[in-house]
mmCIF file of all heavy atoms in Angstrom:
data_model
loop_
_atom_site.group_PDB
_atom_site.id
_atom_site.type_symbol
_atom_site.label_atom_id
_atom_site.label_comp_id
_atom_site.label_asym_id
_atom_site.label_seq_id
_atom_site.Cartn_x
_atom_site.Cartn_y
_atom_site.Cartn_z
ATOM 1 N N ALA A 1 13.383 -18.960 -8.313
ATOM 2 C CA ALA A 1 12.929 -17.516 -8.445
ATOM 3 C C ALA A 1 11.926 -17.421 -9.582
ATOM 4 O O ALA A 1 10.841 -16.772 -9.342
ATOM 5 C CB ALA A 1 14.123 -16.621 -8.692
ATOM 6 N N LEU A 2 12.162 -17.992 -10.738
ATOM 7 C CA LEU A 2 11.204 -17.940 -11.816
ATOM 8 C C LEU A 2 9.901 -18.669 -11.460
ATOM 9 O O LEU A 2 8.819 -18.204 -11.809
ATOM 10 C CB LEU A 2 11.815 -18.497 -13.081
ATOM 11 C CG LEU A 2 12.834 -17.592 -13.761
ATOM 12 C CD1 LEU A 2 13.497 -18.370 -14.903
ATOM 13 C CD2 LEU A 2 12.219 -16.333 -14.240
ATOM 14 N N GLY A 3 9.984 -19.797 -10.807
ATOM 15 C CA GLY A 3 8.844 -20.509 -10.371
ATOM 16 C C GLY A 3 7.998 -19.702 -9.370
ATOM 17 O O GLY A 3 6.753 -19.712 -9.445
ATOM 18 N N THR A 4 8.668 -19.046 -8.471
ATOM 19 C CA THR A 4 7.985 -18.215 -7.475
ATOM 20 C C THR A 4 7.225 -17.071 -8.170
ATOM 21 O O THR A 4 6.083 -16.792 -7.861
ATOM 22 C CB THR A 4 8.962 -17.681 -6.432
ATOM 23 O OG1 THR A 4 9.619 -18.755 -5.820
ATOM 24 C CG2 THR A 4 8.253 -16.785 -5.422
ATOM 25 N N TYR A 5 7.926 -16.483 -9.151
ATOM 26 C CA TYR A 5 7.314 -15.431 -9.934
ATOM 27 C C TYR A 5 6.085 -15.915 -10.693
ATOM 28 O O TYR A 5 5.007 -15.291 -10.608
ATOM 29 C CB TYR A 5 8.340 -14.860 -10.954
ATOM 30 C CG TYR A 5 7.716 -13.950 -11.993
ATOM 31 C CD1 TYR A 5 7.427 -12.656 -11.720
ATOM 32 C CD2 TYR A 5 7.497 -14.432 -13.273
ATOM 33 C CE1 TYR A 5 6.835 -11.813 -12.686
ATOM 34 C CE2 TYR A 5 6.922 -13.648 -14.253
ATOM 35 C CZ TYR A 5 6.605 -12.341 -13.949
ATOM 36 O OH TYR A 5 6.044 -11.545 -14.875
ATOM 37 N N ALA A 6 6.197 -17.011 -11.354
ATOM 38 C CA ALA A 6 5.104 -17.592 -12.148
ATOM 39 C C ALA A 6 3.907 -17.930 -11.247
ATOM 40 O O ALA A 6 2.751 -17.724 -11.567
ATOM 41 C CB ALA A 6 5.562 -18.838 -12.904
ATOM 42 N N LEU A 7 4.203 -18.523 -10.053
ATOM 43 C CA LEU A 7 3.159 -18.841 -9.111
ATOM 44 C C LEU A 7 2.455 -17.600 -8.587
ATOM 45 O O LEU A 7 1.186 -17.551 -8.571
ATOM 46 C CB LEU A 7 3.723 -19.598 -7.905
ATOM 47 C CG LEU A 7 2.787 -19.969 -6.825
ATOM 48 C CD1 LEU A 7 1.650 -20.861 -7.319
ATOM 49 C CD2 LEU A 7 3.504 -20.604 -5.647
ATOM 50 N N CYS A 8 3.156 -16.552 -8.292
ATOM 51 C CA CYS A 8 2.536 -15.299 -7.832
ATOM 52 C C CYS A 8 1.679 -14.664 -8.903
ATOM 53 O O CYS A 8 0.572 -14.161 -8.661
ATOM 54 C CB CYS A 8 3.629 -14.339 -7.339
ATOM 55 S SG CYS A 8 4.306 -14.791 -5.802
ATOM 56 N N VAL A 9 2.136 -14.701 -10.139
ATOM 57 C CA VAL A 9 1.331 -14.134 -11.234
ATOM 58 C C VAL A 9 0.049 -14.966 -11.476
ATOM 59 O O VAL A 9 -1.024 -14.419 -11.596
ATOM 60 C CB VAL A 9 2.138 -14.095 -12.552
ATOM 61 C CG1 VAL A 9 1.288 -13.733 -13.780
ATOM 62 C CG2 VAL A 9 3.249 -13.044 -12.396
ATOM 63 N N ALA A 10 0.196 -16.267 -11.453
ATOM 64 C CA ALA A 10 -0.951 -17.118 -11.620
ATOM 65 C C ALA A 10 -1.967 -16.978 -10.514
ATOM 66 O O ALA A 10 -3.151 -16.860 -10.762
ATOM 67 C CB ALA A 10 -0.515 -18.602 -11.718
ATOM 68 N N LEU A 11 -1.464 -16.869 -9.319
ATOM 69 C CA LEU A 11 -2.397 -16.648 -8.154
ATOM 70 C C LEU A 11 -3.132 -15.305 -8.301
ATOM 71 O O LEU A 11 -4.351 -15.233 -8.027
ATOM 72 C CB LEU A 11 -1.644 -16.752 -6.842
ATOM 73 C CG LEU A 11 -1.201 -18.124 -6.409
ATOM 74 C CD1 LEU A 11 -0.274 -18.051 -5.206
ATOM 75 C CD2 LEU A 11 -2.421 -19.043 -6.126
ATOM 76 N N ALA A 12 -2.424 -14.285 -8.666
ATOM 77 C CA ALA A 12 -3.091 -12.977 -8.829
ATOM 78 C C ALA A 12 -4.139 -12.988 -9.924
ATOM 79 O O ALA A 12 -5.200 -12.482 -9.775
ATOM 80 C CB ALA A 12 -2.022 -11.892 -9.131
ATOM 81 N N CYS A 13 -3.851 -13.731 -10.995
ATOM 82 C CA CYS A 13 -4.780 -13.867 -12.113
ATOM 83 C C CYS A 13 -6.082 -14.603 -11.710
ATOM 84 O O CYS A 13 -7.164 -14.217 -12.133
ATOM 85 C CB CYS A 13 -4.185 -14.587 -13.271
ATOM 86 S SG CYS A 13 -2.882 -13.594 -14.127
ATOM 87 N N PHE A 14 -5.898 -15.644 -10.939
ATOM 88 C CA PHE A 14 -7.054 -16.462 -10.641
ATOM 89 C C PHE A 14 -7.706 -16.183 -9.253
ATOM 90 O O PHE A 14 -8.893 -16.483 -9.067
ATOM 91 C CB PHE A 14 -6.607 -17.931 -10.628
ATOM 92 C CG PHE A 14 -6.261 -18.430 -11.997
ATOM 93 C CD1 PHE A 14 -4.973 -18.758 -12.289
ATOM 94 C CD2 PHE A 14 -7.265 -18.557 -12.978
ATOM 95 C CE1 PHE A 14 -4.601 -19.147 -13.542
ATOM 96 C CE2 PHE A 14 -6.863 -18.998 -14.275
ATOM 97 C CZ PHE A 14 -5.509 -19.292 -14.541
ATOM 98 N N LEU A 15 -7.050 -15.519 -8.364
ATOM 99 C CA LEU A 15 -7.643 -15.241 -7.074
ATOM 100 C C LEU A 15 -7.899 -13.787 -6.680
ATOM 101 O O LEU A 15 -8.167 -13.477 -5.572
ATOM 102 C CB LEU A 15 -6.743 -15.908 -5.966
ATOM 103 C CG LEU A 15 -6.563 -17.425 -6.016
ATOM 104 C CD1 LEU A 15 -5.656 -17.918 -4.887
ATOM 105 C CD2 LEU A 15 -7.960 -18.089 -5.901
ATOM 106 N N TRP A 16 -7.736 -12.861 -7.682
ATOM 107 C CA TRP A 16 -7.863 -11.455 -7.315
ATOM 108 C C TRP A 16 -9.262 -11.153 -6.815
ATOM 109 O O TRP A 16 -9.459 -10.176 -6.083
ATOM 110 C CB TRP A 16 -7.504 -10.576 -8.517
ATOM 111 C CG TRP A 16 -8.486 -10.674 -9.671
ATOM 112 C CD1 TRP A 16 -8.369 -11.504 -10.706
ATOM 113 C CD2 TRP A 16 -9.673 -9.899 -9.861
ATOM 114 N NE1 TRP A 16 -9.426 -11.293 -11.582
ATOM 115 C CE2 TRP A 16 -10.255 -10.332 -11.072
ATOM 116 C CE3 TRP A 16 -10.265 -8.871 -9.181
ATOM 117 C CZ2 TRP A 16 -11.466 -9.796 -11.588
ATOM 118 C CZ3 TRP A 16 -11.456 -8.360 -9.648
ATOM 119 C CH2 TRP A 16 -11.995 -8.787 -10.854
ATOM 120 N N THR A 17 -10.313 -11.949 -7.165
ATOM 121 C CA THR A 17 -11.638 -11.689 -6.677
ATOM 122 C C THR A 17 -11.798 -12.211 -5.236
ATOM 123 O O THR A 17 -12.877 -12.006 -4.676
ATOM 124 C CB THR A 17 -12.693 -12.360 -7.603
ATOM 125 O OG1 THR A 17 -12.413 -13.760 -7.671
ATOM 126 C CG2 THR A 17 -12.619 -11.751 -8.991
ATOM 127 N N ARG A 18 -10.809 -12.919 -4.709
ATOM 128 C CA ARG A 18 -10.879 -13.482 -3.373
ATOM 129 C C ARG A 18 -9.620 -12.970 -2.617
ATOM 130 O O ARG A 18 -8.715 -13.725 -2.328
ATOM 131 C CB ARG A 18 -10.889 -15.003 -3.434
ATOM 132 C CG ARG A 18 -12.163 -15.461 -4.285
ATOM 133 C CD ARG A 18 -12.349 -16.888 -4.313
ATOM 134 N NE ARG A 18 -12.752 -17.319 -2.972
ATOM 135 C CZ ARG A 18 -12.709 -18.589 -2.586
ATOM 136 N NH1 ARG A 18 -12.340 -19.520 -3.447
ATOM 137 N NH2 ARG A 18 -13.101 -18.929 -1.371
ATOM 138 N N PRO A 19 -9.649 -11.711 -2.214
ATOM 139 C CA PRO A 19 -8.424 -11.057 -1.668
ATOM 140 C C PRO A 19 -7.907 -11.721 -0.375
ATOM 141 O O PRO A 19 -6.722 -11.737 -0.172
ATOM 142 C CB PRO A 19 -8.826 -9.612 -1.459
ATOM 143 C CG PRO A 19 -10.304 -9.583 -1.503
ATOM 144 C CD PRO A 19 -10.723 -10.705 -2.351
ATOM 145 N N ILE A 20 -8.765 -12.235 0.450
ATOM 146 C CA ILE A 20 -8.308 -12.842 1.684
ATOM 147 C C ILE A 20 -7.582 -14.140 1.379
ATOM 148 O O ILE A 20 -6.489 -14.402 1.940
ATOM 149 C CB ILE A 20 -9.500 -13.116 2.678
ATOM 150 C CG1 ILE A 20 -10.214 -11.793 3.016
ATOM 151 C CG2 ILE A 20 -9.030 -13.809 3.931
ATOM 152 C CD1 ILE A 20 -9.306 -10.726 3.652
ATOM 153 N N LEU A 21 -8.127 -14.915 0.470
ATOM 154 C CA LEU A 21 -7.425 -16.171 0.059
ATOM 155 C C LEU A 21 -6.103 -15.872 -0.593
ATOM 156 O O LEU A 21 -5.078 -16.479 -0.314
ATOM 157 C CB LEU A 21 -8.299 -16.986 -0.869
ATOM 158 C CG LEU A 21 -7.767 -18.308 -1.375
ATOM 159 C CD1 LEU A 21 -7.390 -19.237 -0.225
ATOM 160 C CD2 LEU A 21 -8.769 -18.956 -2.336
ATOM 161 N N LEU A 22 -6.107 -14.853 -1.486
ATOM 162 C CA LEU A 22 -4.874 -14.454 -2.147
ATOM 163 C C LEU A 22 -3.837 -13.931 -1.134
ATOM 164 O O LEU A 22 -2.647 -14.269 -1.240
ATOM 165 C CB LEU A 22 -5.136 -13.399 -3.190
ATOM 166 C CG LEU A 22 -3.958 -12.928 -4.063
ATOM 167 C CD1 LEU A 22 -3.258 -14.118 -4.728
ATOM 168 C CD2 LEU A 22 -4.414 -11.933 -5.091
ATOM 169 N N THR A 23 -4.261 -13.187 -0.160
ATOM 170 C CA THR A 23 -3.327 -12.683 0.935
ATOM 171 C C THR A 23 -2.751 -13.863 1.664
ATOM 172 O O THR A 23 -1.550 -13.906 1.902
ATOM 173 C CB THR A 23 -4.125 -11.787 1.873
ATOM 174 O OG1 THR A 23 -4.631 -10.665 1.144
ATOM 175 C CG2 THR A 23 -3.200 -11.264 2.973
ATOM 176 N N GLY A 24 -3.607 -14.854 1.982
ATOM 177 C CA GLY A 24 -3.121 -16.057 2.678
ATOM 178 C C GLY A 24 -2.064 -16.798 1.867
ATOM 179 O O GLY A 24 -1.040 -17.253 2.361
ATOM 180 N N CYS A 25 -2.306 -16.924 0.578
ATOM 181 C CA CYS A 25 -1.373 -17.576 -0.308
ATOM 182 C C CYS A 25 -0.039 -16.832 -0.355
ATOM 183 O O CYS A 25 1.050 -17.464 -0.282
ATOM 184 C CB CYS A 25 -1.908 -17.739 -1.718
ATOM 185 S SG CYS A 25 -3.289 -18.892 -1.886
ATOM 186 N N TYR A 26 -0.090 -15.529 -0.425
ATOM 187 C CA TYR A 26 1.167 -14.710 -0.414
ATOM 188 C C TYR A 26 1.880 -14.780 0.893
ATOM 189 O O TYR A 26 3.108 -14.662 0.924
ATOM 190 C CB TYR A 26 0.849 -13.310 -0.827
ATOM 191 C CG TYR A 26 0.561 -13.155 -2.356
ATOM 192 C CD1 TYR A 26 0.010 -12.010 -2.888
ATOM 193 C CD2 TYR A 26 0.910 -14.154 -3.302
ATOM 194 C CE1 TYR A 26 -0.236 -11.866 -4.194
ATOM 195 C CE2 TYR A 26 0.684 -14.024 -4.612
ATOM 196 C CZ TYR A 26 0.095 -12.873 -5.088
ATOM 197 O OH TYR A 26 -0.130 -12.712 -6.442
ATOM 198 N N VAL A 27 1.159 -14.879 2.006
ATOM 199 C CA VAL A 27 1.795 -15.059 3.316
ATOM 200 C C VAL A 27 2.576 -16.373 3.305
ATOM 201 O O VAL A 27 3.754 -16.439 3.756
ATOM 202 C CB VAL A 27 0.769 -15.045 4.473
ATOM 203 C CG1 VAL A 27 1.407 -15.586 5.783
ATOM 204 C CG2 VAL A 27 0.277 -13.633 4.665
ATOM 205 N N ILE A 28 1.970 -17.453 2.809
ATOM 206 C CA ILE A 28 2.638 -18.706 2.725
ATOM 207 C C ILE A 28 3.858 -18.671 1.833
ATOM 208 O O ILE A 28 4.942 -19.192 2.172
ATOM 209 C CB ILE A 28 1.672 -19.855 2.299
ATOM 210 C CG1 ILE A 28 0.613 -20.055 3.412
ATOM 211 C CG2 ILE A 28 2.370 -21.129 1.951
ATOM 212 C CD1 ILE A 28 -0.569 -20.874 2.944
ATOM 213 N N ILE A 29 3.779 -18.061 0.651
ATOM 214 C CA ILE A 29 4.889 -17.911 -0.238
ATOM 215 C C ILE A 29 5.991 -17.070 0.417
ATOM 216 O O ILE A 29 7.170 -17.381 0.309
ATOM 217 C CB ILE A 29 4.431 -17.241 -1.593
ATOM 218 C CG1 ILE A 29 3.531 -18.294 -2.325
ATOM 219 C CG2 ILE A 29 5.634 -16.923 -2.425
ATOM 220 C CD1 ILE A 29 2.835 -17.672 -3.521
ATOM 221 N N SER A 30 5.599 -15.998 1.160
ATOM 222 C CA SER A 30 6.579 -15.199 1.853
ATOM 223 C C SER A 30 7.350 -16.054 2.883
ATOM 224 O O SER A 30 8.611 -15.939 2.962
ATOM 225 C CB SER A 30 5.954 -13.998 2.573
ATOM 226 O OG SER A 30 5.376 -13.121 1.615
ATOM 227 N N ILE A 31 6.669 -16.873 3.617
ATOM 228 C CA ILE A 31 7.317 -17.733 4.607
ATOM 229 C C ILE A 31 8.289 -18.673 3.880
ATOM 230 O O ILE A 31 9.464 -18.817 4.321
ATOM 231 C CB ILE A 31 6.276 -18.513 5.427
ATOM 232 C CG1 ILE A 31 5.533 -17.565 6.352
ATOM 233 C CG2 ILE A 31 6.945 -19.641 6.261
ATOM 234 C CD1 ILE A 31 4.290 -18.155 6.952
ATOM 235 N N PHE A 32 7.836 -19.317 2.849
ATOM 236 C CA PHE A 32 8.760 -20.233 2.080
ATOM 237 C C PHE A 32 9.918 -19.449 1.475
ATOM 238 O O PHE A 32 11.043 -19.983 1.389
ATOM 239 C CB PHE A 32 7.976 -21.016 1.036
ATOM 240 C CG PHE A 32 7.276 -22.171 1.590
ATOM 241 C CD1 PHE A 32 5.889 -22.158 1.624
ATOM 242 C CD2 PHE A 32 7.916 -23.247 2.143
ATOM 243 C CE1 PHE A 32 5.163 -23.266 2.157
ATOM 244 C CE2 PHE A 32 7.192 -24.323 2.702
ATOM 245 C CZ PHE A 32 5.855 -24.320 2.691
ATOM 246 N N ALA A 33 9.692 -18.232 1.017
ATOM 247 C CA ALA A 33 10.772 -17.418 0.444
ATOM 248 C C ALA A 33 11.810 -17.129 1.522
ATOM 249 O O ALA A 33 13.038 -17.195 1.240
ATOM 250 C CB ALA A 33 10.199 -16.139 -0.120
ATOM 251 N N PHE A 34 11.346 -16.834 2.749
ATOM 252 C CA PHE A 34 12.289 -16.566 3.842
ATOM 253 C C PHE A 34 13.036 -17.812 4.299
ATOM 254 O O PHE A 34 14.179 -17.734 4.762
ATOM 255 C CB PHE A 34 11.615 -15.894 5.041
ATOM 256 C CG PHE A 34 11.340 -14.480 4.833
ATOM 257 C CD1 PHE A 34 10.123 -13.894 5.093
ATOM 258 C CD2 PHE A 34 12.329 -13.601 4.328
ATOM 259 C CE1 PHE A 34 9.845 -12.570 4.907
ATOM 260 C CE2 PHE A 34 12.106 -12.248 4.098
ATOM 261 C CZ PHE A 34 10.817 -11.724 4.420
ATOM 262 N N ILE A 35 12.391 -18.977 4.118
ATOM 263 C CA ILE A 35 13.114 -20.222 4.408
ATOM 264 C C ILE A 35 14.249 -20.410 3.363
ATOM 265 O O ILE A 35 15.355 -20.820 3.714
ATOM 266 C CB ILE A 35 12.149 -21.382 4.415
ATOM 267 C CG1 ILE A 35 11.186 -21.317 5.631
ATOM 268 C CG2 ILE A 35 12.909 -22.743 4.395
ATOM 269 C CD1 ILE A 35 10.044 -22.278 5.624
ATOM 270 N N ARG A 36 13.909 -20.089 2.133
ATOM 271 C CA ARG A 36 14.921 -20.253 1.042
ATOM 272 C C ARG A 36 15.936 -19.125 1.059
ATOM 273 O O ARG A 36 17.131 -19.297 0.921
ATOM 274 C CB ARG A 36 14.159 -20.284 -0.300
ATOM 275 C CG ARG A 36 15.059 -20.381 -1.473
ATOM 276 C CD ARG A 36 15.576 -21.737 -1.631
ATOM 277 N NE ARG A 36 16.475 -21.800 -2.777
ATOM 278 C CZ ARG A 36 17.560 -22.554 -2.869
ATOM 279 N NH1 ARG A 36 17.835 -23.383 -1.850
ATOM 280 N NH2 ARG A 36 18.277 -22.511 -3.901
ATOM 281 N N TRP A 37 15.504 -17.887 1.164
ATOM 282 C CA TRP A 37 16.342 -16.725 1.086
ATOM 283 C C TRP A 37 16.221 -16.005 2.450
ATOM 284 O O TRP A 37 15.275 -15.294 2.694
ATOM 285 C CB TRP A 37 15.909 -15.792 -0.015
ATOM 286 C CG TRP A 37 15.921 -16.396 -1.387
ATOM 287 C CD1 TRP A 37 16.956 -17.037 -1.966
ATOM 288 C CD2 TRP A 37 14.817 -16.447 -2.316
ATOM 289 N NE1 TRP A 37 16.571 -17.496 -3.201
ATOM 290 C CE2 TRP A 37 15.268 -17.108 -3.433
ATOM 291 C CE3 TRP A 37 13.569 -15.911 -2.277
ATOM 292 C CZ2 TRP A 37 14.490 -17.321 -4.581
ATOM 293 C CZ3 TRP A 37 12.714 -16.146 -3.387
ATOM 294 C CH2 TRP A 37 13.179 -16.841 -4.537
ATOM 295 N N HIS A 38 17.230 -16.083 3.278
ATOM 296 C CA HIS A 38 17.082 -15.560 4.650
ATOM 297 C C HIS A 38 18.293 -14.821 5.127
ATOM 298 O O HIS A 38 18.589 -14.799 6.315
ATOM 299 C CB HIS A 38 16.713 -16.684 5.632
ATOM 300 C CG HIS A 38 17.650 -17.891 5.545
ATOM 301 N ND1 HIS A 38 17.397 -18.920 4.708
ATOM 302 C CD2 HIS A 38 18.828 -18.164 6.100
ATOM 303 C CE1 HIS A 38 18.388 -19.824 4.810
ATOM 304 N NE2 HIS A 38 19.253 -19.331 5.657
ATOM 305 N N THR A 39 18.978 -14.111 4.246
ATOM 306 C CA THR A 39 20.066 -13.276 4.682
ATOM 307 C C THR A 39 19.483 -11.969 5.261
ATOM 308 O O THR A 39 18.299 -11.683 5.048
ATOM 309 C CB THR A 39 21.043 -12.934 3.511
ATOM 310 O OG1 THR A 39 20.320 -12.115 2.586
ATOM 311 C CG2 THR A 39 21.578 -14.197 2.905
ATOM 312 N N ALA A 40 20.295 -11.238 5.949
ATOM 313 C CA ALA A 40 19.872 -9.957 6.502
ATOM 314 C C ALA A 40 19.402 -9.030 5.346
ATOM 315 O O ALA A 40 18.373 -8.308 5.507
ATOM 316 C CB ALA A 40 20.947 -9.309 7.330
ATOM 317 N N SER A 41 20.128 -9.041 4.250
ATOM 318 C CA SER A 41 19.723 -8.146 3.125
ATOM 319 C C SER A 41 18.401 -8.620 2.531
ATOM 320 O O SER A 41 17.644 -7.785 2.056
ATOM 321 C CB SER A 41 20.826 -8.069 2.075
ATOM 322 O OG SER A 41 20.991 -9.353 1.404
ATOM 323 N N ASP A 42 18.105 -9.924 2.520
ATOM 324 C CA ASP A 42 16.823 -10.359 2.041
ATOM 325 C C ASP A 42 15.665 -9.808 2.877
ATOM 326 O O ASP A 42 14.647 -9.327 2.367
ATOM 327 C CB ASP A 42 16.725 -11.928 2.046
ATOM 328 C CG ASP A 42 17.634 -12.576 0.993
ATOM 329 O OD1 ASP A 42 17.785 -11.966 -0.100
ATOM 330 O OD2 ASP A 42 18.087 -13.630 1.236
ATOM 331 N N PHE A 43 15.797 -9.886 4.188
ATOM 332 C CA PHE A 43 14.797 -9.291 5.109
ATOM 333 C C PHE A 43 14.663 -7.802 4.881
ATOM 334 O O PHE A 43 13.510 -7.263 4.851
ATOM 335 C CB PHE A 43 15.117 -9.634 6.541
ATOM 336 C CG PHE A 43 14.928 -11.022 6.909
ATOM 337 C CD1 PHE A 43 15.965 -11.832 7.184
ATOM 338 C CD2 PHE A 43 13.636 -11.578 6.990
ATOM 339 C CE1 PHE A 43 15.810 -13.236 7.516
ATOM 340 C CE2 PHE A 43 13.425 -12.941 7.337
ATOM 341 C CZ PHE A 43 14.544 -13.731 7.582
ATOM 342 N N LEU A 44 15.766 -7.080 4.724
ATOM 343 C CA LEU A 44 15.761 -5.684 4.537
ATOM 344 C C LEU A 44 15.049 -5.296 3.204
ATOM 345 O O LEU A 44 14.200 -4.421 3.150
ATOM 346 C CB LEU A 44 17.126 -5.063 4.609
ATOM 347 C CG LEU A 44 17.211 -3.564 4.400
ATOM 348 C CD1 LEU A 44 16.487 -2.849 5.519
ATOM 349 C CD2 LEU A 44 18.675 -3.137 4.332
ATOM 350 N N PHE A 45 15.446 -5.982 2.155
ATOM 351 C CA PHE A 45 14.849 -5.751 0.829
ATOM 352 C C PHE A 45 13.306 -5.969 0.918
ATOM 353 O O PHE A 45 12.556 -5.163 0.395
ATOM 354 C CB PHE A 45 15.464 -6.652 -0.210
ATOM 355 C CG PHE A 45 16.654 -6.088 -0.900
ATOM 356 C CD1 PHE A 45 17.869 -5.920 -0.197
ATOM 357 C CD2 PHE A 45 16.629 -5.712 -2.240
ATOM 358 C CE1 PHE A 45 18.964 -5.409 -0.814
ATOM 359 C CE2 PHE A 45 17.796 -5.187 -2.882
ATOM 360 C CZ PHE A 45 18.952 -5.006 -2.129
#
């Protein structure tokens, strides 16, 4: 969880000027997050 947080902050800091690339990175992180955390409450949250 802390690694995911750090990665998201770093990506926002370095890629905010490239929103499509940043969006793609967050889509990939979301997919991996759902692979790791995939309970019904995770999807709802």
Side-chain angles (χ1 to χ4, degrees):
L2 286 174
T4 303
Y5 168 78
L7 177 60
C8 286
V9 169
L11 288 171
C13 290
F14 294 110
L15 295 179
W16 68 269
T17 59
R18 303 184 68 195
I20 301 303
L21 181 58
L22 184 55
T23 300
C25 289
Y26 285 164
V27 166
I28 292 168
I29 292 170
S30 294
I31 290 168
F32 282 111
F34 283 132
I35 290 169
R36 177 75 182 147
W37 302 306
H38 51 269
T39 65
S41 67
D42 289 327
F43 288 110
L44 180 62
F45 271 69

